Amino acid sequence: MPRPYEAVYVFDSTLEDAAVTEKVDRFHQLLGITGGLKVDHWGRRQLAYPIGSKENGYYVVARFEAESDGIPEYERALKLDDGIIRHLLTIFEHEVGAPPMSEEELELARKRAEEDDEDEE
């Protein structure tokens, strides 16, 4: 039974955009992805800390469904690829962040914000 996964890739920032896309496609072909594939290119960004001599990376976030028996080979391919600085694969359970607010909660928040504005004056 396929499981939902989320993968974050940090590629070497010197790679061309087309090369990054080709690598991501090749990695996902290894998995034989059965569900919808959602790939989000965040682009080039500064790393939080230098990794070796690298200070920038090209970030890609992908969500997909795959069988768990293909994951070890997939991760092995990621580790062997010189173009990847870091990667993280997690089981995707739900969106990160606060749950959506109900209409009542939104109205209460608006009233509080108005009261705060009046208090400042």
Side-chain angles (χ1 to χ4, degrees):
M1 183 167 108
R3 297 179 77 174
Y5 290 95
E6 182 175 63
V8 178
Y9 311 100
V10 182
F11 290 94
D12 187 344
S13 64
T14 59
L15 290 174
E16 297 286 330
D17 293 358
V20 169
T21 302
E22 183 268 324
K23 285 178 179 283
V24 169
D25 291 342
R26 185 169 42 94
F27 293 138
H28 294 148
Q29 287 174 356
L30 283 173
L31 290 170
I33 294 176
T34 57
L37 172 66
K38 182 183 175 211
V39 178
D40 194 12
H41 290 260
W42 288 5
R44 287 171 181 78
R45 296 173 182 238
Q46 184 175 357
L47 300 172
Y49 55 89
I51 299 174
S53 63
K54 311 287 186 204
E55 293 189 10
N56 295 303
Y58 187 99
Y59 287 76
V60 177
V61 178
R63 288 193 189 142
F64 52 86
E65 289 188 1
E67 296 288 338
S68 59
D69 58 349
I71 298 297
E73 181 62 28
Y74 163 76
E75 288 189 313
R76 181 178 175 278
L78 292 174
K79 289 176 186 173
L80 293 174
D81 193 304
D82 292 336
I84 293 184
I85 299 172
R86 289 281 193 271
H87 72 279
L88 176 66
L89 179 68
T90 60
I91 295 174
F92 181 73
E93 295 177 349
H94 53 79
E95 291 288 333
V96 176
M101 296 174 76
S102 67
E103 289 297 321
E104 295 84 23
E105 292 171 323
L106 287 171
E107 185 61 33
L108 184 60
R110 279 190 217 111
K111 286 181 183 177
R112 285 183 187 154
E114 290 173 2
E115 289 173 3
D116 289 344
D117 288 342
E118 291 173 3
D119 290 342
E120 289 178 3
E121 294 174 359

